[in-house]
Amino acid sequence: MKNELIERTKRFGIDRWHFCFKVPKSREYNAFVNQLIRSSSSVGANYRASQRAKSTADFINKLKIVEEEVDESVYWLEIFEEVLSGNPEEISNLQKEERELLAITVASINTAKRNSNK
């Protein structure tokens, strides 16, 4: 599960950058793009930080931050879906991928909690 989360997290950031480059350039869209870039960049940085955690509790806390940021990124994509008539299929695929990443992150937190209670 850990390796899958690492791969998904890397792909998460890369896919967001590709998506953002395709978004039409205007003041209105730039605000959304910046939020999306910020949240996807933070996911990667905080996930890497979780890998350096000194304790299970620290690992869980850092993964919870990742979970919140993935959730925020899903929110920004939902706004894109409402505002952007561009490529709804791509937005839908990104949302699906993020929800899967969110589910894996939650499963990792729960696994770490169970293992720390043994």
Side-chain angles (χ1 to χ4, degrees), residues 3-74:
N3 288 339
E4 183 178 0
L5 185 52
I6 290 168
E7 284 307 309
R8 289 284 183 98
T9 307
K10 284 180 188 171
R11 203 167 344 124
F12 178 91
I14 293 167
D15 288 348
R16 272 347 130 275
W17 281 99
H18 289 168
F19 174 75
C20 290
F21 279 117
K22 294 178 192 172
V23 174
K25 302 294 182 260
S26 74
R27 185 177 299 165
E28 181 186 22
Y29 292 135
N30 283 347
F32 295 125
V33 168
N34 288 337
Q35 289 295 332
L36 198 55
I37 288 172
R38 185 190 61 73
S39 61
S40 61
S41 297
S42 295
V43 168
N46 283 305
Y47 181 73
R48 286 189 297 277
S50 75
Q51 297 308 297
R52 297 188 299 272
K54 301 285 187 235
S55 66
T56 301
D58 190 29
F59 175 72
I60 291 168
N61 289 336
K62 285 183 169 67
L63 271 189
K64 282 184 178 174
I65 294 169
V66 171
E67 180 185 351
E68 289 165 9
E69 288 166 339
V70 172
D71 205 29
E72 181 186 341
S73 202
V74 170

Side-chain angles (χ1 to χ4, degrees), residues 90-108:
E90 184 173 7
I91 292 172
S92 176
N93 289 340
L94 291 174
Q95 287 173 335
K96 181 178 173 235
E97 183 182 315
E98 290 180 28
R99 288 190 178 97
E100 288 171 1
L101 181 62
L102 193 56
I104 293 170
T105 305
V106 170
S108 297

